[in-house]
Amino acid sequence: MLAMDYDLKVPRTRVTAGESEKYLTEFKIGRRHYTQQYNKLYYKRLETLKPFVQTHAQHKWEKQGHKQPIRLTQKVLNVEGPEPTYIIGSIFIDTPQKPSTLEQVEKTHWISDTDFTGKYRGPEDALYLEDESGRIRLVGKAIEELLVTSGVIMAAMGSETADGDFDVVDVCFAGMAPQPQRQPSAEDKYVALVSGLSATVESPVTLEMQLLAEYLAGTAGSEEDQRRSAQIVQTVVVGQTVELPEPPLGHTEDAKANDRKPVQQLLAAVDAFLADIAAAMPLTLLPGKSDPADISMPQQPLHPSLFAHCKQYSGFQTVTNPAYFEVDGTLVLASAGQNVDDLCHYAVHDETPCQLAARTLQWRHIAPSGPDTLWGYPFTDHDPFVVRNTPHVYVVGNQPKFDMCAAEGTDGQISQMVMVPGFRQSRSIVLLNLRTLECTQVHIGALAAN
């Protein structure tokens, strides 16, 4: 059992500051404009990933021993006859199970419902591959139970049917992006991964949250616990720090409904709680779907004015969701989980969130379902969700349970997936070892039990 011990003084391990600055602008937008169309985002995604898909497709199918190289048909609408060929484009899934944004808005008084819990895939699915020339329907056993989402860039090998569809024999994707060389730490250093604190107006800072702050500061637990907490070099809060109450719909004369003081008090209490952690070590804060941030991805950093106490510490920073950062030579990609949650609606064999996150690295795109079923910003000159550097660790917050798995590329890339459970439900955090990339779930609830 863990016990309180405030007399032990263990020097905290440190890492060099400022190592992740070059990655912090990856998902920054600046001033947002929504006058542009989303089709430019799909074209830019296809333009960016098509060369990688083509290279991977040629390499894959030539290695399978075809007598003649399978030729590429440059435009999907130029496919003709039964001769084997392959085409490259963006997947579009037409299914009645997929929710309509307009219907959601109508039913919820102009507020989108982001808590859809059903499945998008079903027996009435129709899969299409589209490019700038148009779209062609995909048929065949190879795609009947294929795990893809709208927006995935894919190569399909096959031939045209008498009905004008494309009978698919095999598929391939872009594959994992190049991975920077990692220089493992010579000693055990940990990053504390926290998500789903979900502080509310009724219960802003719980006992478990207070004990979490004490544990991270090195003042809670046995001597062994405190020695390990002293090796924590950074804490990352991966979204859903607060649960804001629903705002009143329309105009109301109810003074209580319009009173925002409880929300201000909630944010002040959370600021003071986070400041206790920021005083002990660098603290990185990502927004999530329940935080005071724009709902569309990538979410921009929470405004520093919300954290009057935290911003006094140089190691405190608010970043985008998702976000890249580097700690002691390890490249980490973190997401608050909305992109993976949306992919769960496309699962065809009950794939786990961990498996789905790994699949996005094989697609070389971490949010392919946006903007079709995942709200996103209409970029016109680039797609920031295209993976240009495979991370050594991909952290996904606010998941049902702790889980780990690995994604492996054809050129030796290995990326560790880490699913971080919501703290409010699990009363636990995850410690990432920067030397071994192994993870340990720490149950803060055990302290509360004592």
Side-chain angles (χ1 to χ4, degrees):
M1 289 293 183
L2 295 170
M4 295 296 184
D5 183 353
Y6 293 96
D7 296 326
L8 183 66
K9 299 295 183 182
V10 182
R12 181 168 298 280
T13 304
R14 302 292 180 183
V15 294
T16 304
E19 291 181 339
S20 61
E21 291 297 324
K22 60 182 177 181
Y23 295 104
L24 293 182
T25 60
E26 193 81 14
F27 296 98
K28 285 282 188 72
I29 294 177
R31 186 172 181 83
R32 294 190 172 206
H33 301 278
Y34 287 89
T35 56
Q36 59 270 44
Q37 296 294 316
Y38 281 95
N39 64 325
K40 293 183 179 180
L41 174 60
Y42 283 116
Y43 291 150
K44 185 57 64 173
R45 183 183 305 175
L46 177 59
E47 178 184 279
T48 303
L49 290 178
K50 185 175 180 178
F52 303 114
V53 176
Q54 182 174 348
T55 299
H56 200 210
Q58 290 174 334
H59 180 69
K60 175 184 178 182
W61 290 322
E62 288 178 4
K63 283 185 65 177
Q64 289 183 349
H66 294 286
K67 295 181 179 179
Q68 294 181 348
I70 305 298
R71 67 179 180 85
L72 169 67
T73 299
Q74 291 292 342
K75 306 293 183 183
V76 299
L77 293 188
N78 290 344
V79 174
E80 293 182 357
E83 182 181 353
T85 184
Y86 72 93
I87 51 179
I88 300 175
S90 174
I91 288 287
F92 174 74
I93 301 177
D94 186 13
T95 171
Q97 284 79 17
K98 191 163 57 177
S100 166
T101 301
L102 292 177
E103 290 180 2
Q104 290 179 13
V105 168
E106 289 177 356
K107 292 178 181 178
T108 55
H109 301 275
W110 303 100
I111 298 176
S112 173
D113 177 17
T114 59
D115 295 322
F116 176 78
T117 57
K119 292 286 187 181
Y120 297 154
R121 302 296 301 272
E124 300 178 3
D125 286 354
L127 269 67
Y128 297 86
L129 199 66
E130 60 182 11
D131 61 14
E132 60 272 19
S133 69
R135 65 172 58 162
I136 188 171
R137 182 169 181 171
L138 304 179
V139 297
K141 292 185 178 180
I143 56 96
E144 286 180 357
E145 294 186 344
L146 178 65
L147 176 58
V148 288
T149 74
S150 291
V152 170
I153 307 302
M154 185 184 83
M157 184 183 72
S159 58
E160 186 183 27
T161 68
D163 296 327
D165 299 330
F166 192 77
D167 186 15
V168 180
V169 176
D170 197 5
V171 302
C172 82
F173 306 97
M176 293 175 66
Q179 187 175 49
Q181 186 175 1
R182 190 174 83 91
Q183 297 178 344
S185 174
E187 57 181 319
D188 287 333
K189 300 176 184 178
Y190 295 91
V191 174
L193 304 172
V194 186
S195 75
L197 292 169
S198 299
T200 64
V201 168
E202 295 76 19
S203 182
V205 179
T206 64
L207 172 62
E208 290 82 6
M209 290 172 62
Q210 294 174 8
L211 292 171
L212 170 61
E214 292 175 2
Y215 174 80
L216 293 175
T219 58
S222 65
E223 179 177 343
E224 180 181 352
D225 295 312
Q226 293 185 41
R227 290 191 184 281
R228 185 166 63 170
S229 67
Q231 294 174 305
I232 300 175
V233 297
Q234 184 169 342
T235 294
V236 181
V237 180
V238 199
Q240 289 185 224
T241 303
V242 299
E243 292 277 357
L244 297 180
E246 289 291 334
L249 294 175
H251 178 72
T252 176
E253 298 295 336
D254 185 357
K256 184 177 181 180
N258 287 320
D259 184 13
R260 307 308 290 169
K261 184 175 292 186
V263 174
Q264 295 172 355
Q265 294 172 341
L266 164 63
L267 295 174
V270 171
D271 174 33
F273 158 74
L274 293 175
D276 289 339
I277 302 174
M281 70 186 72
L283 173 62
T284 300
L285 183 63
L286 279 72
K289 69 177 183 179
S290 63
D291 292 313
D294 197 324
I295 194 173
S296 61
M297 301 287 285
Q299 290 181 291
Q300 297 304 285
L302 295 169
H303 201 280
S305 64
L306 298 174
F307 306 100
H309 292 90
C310 287
K311 67 182 183 181
Q312 298 177 21
Y313 299 98
S314 60
F316 173 75
Q317 59 180 349
T318 59
V319 298
T320 58
N321 170 37
Y324 286 97
F325 52 92
E326 188 177 22
V327 185
D328 212 34
T330 298
L331 180 61
V332 180
L333 170 61
S335 164
Q338 296 100 310
N339 57 328
V340 174
D341 292 344
D342 194 55
L343 294 179
C344 291
H345 301 308
Y346 290 91
V348 292
H349 295 294
D350 295 324
E351 291 88 352
T352 66
C354 201
Q355 292 170 331
L356 293 169
R359 189 64 62 91
T360 64
L361 296 187
Q362 301 289 350
W363 295 334
R364 210 178 286 206
H365 198 288
I366 60 172
S369 60
D372 185 33
T373 54
L374 177 69
W375 283 51
Y377 182 75
F379 293 93
T380 58
D381 58 349
H382 75 295
D383 185 346
F385 298 105
V386 171
V387 180
R388 293 167 175 80
N389 294 285
T390 295
H392 301 115
V393 182
Y394 183 10
V395 176
V396 181
N398 305 290
Q399 296 307 296
K401 64 179 182 179
F402 168 64
D403 196 8
M404 292 179 62
C405 64
E408 297 186 13
T410 56
D411 296 322
Q413 308 97 317
I414 300 179
S415 185
Q416 191 72 257
M417 310 294 109
V418 182
M419 304 296 107
V420 182
F423 182 83
R424 193 81 171 192
Q425 291 74 33
S426 68
R427 299 194 297 179
S428 67
I429 65 173
V430 175
L431 295 185
L432 167 65
N433 189 320
L434 293 174
R435 181 177 64 85
T436 64
L437 298 188
E438 295 177 352
C439 290
T440 305
Q441 187 176 17
V442 178
H443 292 274
I444 304 299
L447 288 172
N450 288 332

